[in-house]
Amino acid sequence: MPSAVRTGRPGEGCEPPRGWWAVEPAYASAASPTPAQAVARLKEAGAPRVVVAPYLLAPGYFADKVRRTALEAGADVVADVLGAAPELAQVLLERYESALRAPADDLRTA
């Protein structure tokens, strides 16, 4: 669950894929709902199974907190962190190369 950086309105693009009961964004810190609150909300609404997919890069404090509190709230499964995914490395490289090509004035207004 996520700590994901998105553009657009909160929840936009979070419609559940076919065959899924619901998608509930949550936040590991400084915002709500927390993963535990989102799990509890889904369970109370009648979700037959709750799976938490943290959008975190590496193990550590937040990953441990998300896993512990989501399971305590009734999550059936909590996925591992993203880790060393080649797709993530590709996105980082693309953004780095884009920043190198951008004029300095564009970087200050971003």
Side-chain angles (χ1 to χ4, degrees):
M1 279 188 149
S3 302
V5 176
R6 292 186 35 86
T7 58
R9 291 178 288 133
E12 181 180 357
C14 290
E15 296 78 23
R18 275 191 337 196
W20 289 37
W21 199 82
V23 172
E24 178 81 25
Y27 306 90
S29 72
S32 60
T34 65
Q37 291 168 329
V39 169
R41 186 179 309 168
L42 288 166
K43 288 291 196 176
E44 289 168 8
R49 184 169 183 202
V50 176
V51 176
V52 176
Y55 195 67
L56 297 166
L57 299 179
Y61 175 78
F62 286 114
D64 293 345
K65 178 182 173 183
V66 167
R67 175 175 302 283
R68 184 185 75 255
T69 60
L71 290 171
E72 287 171 355
D76 297 286
V77 176
V78 178
D80 205 358
V81 297
L82 295 174
E87 298 86 358
L88 179 60
Q90 185 61 41
V91 168
L92 292 173
L93 289 172
E94 288 170 6
R95 290 187 180 187
Y96 174 75
E97 290 168 358
S98 176
L100 287 177
R101 292 188 301 271
D105 288 343
D106 290 349
L107 296 176
R108 281 191 283 261
T109 60

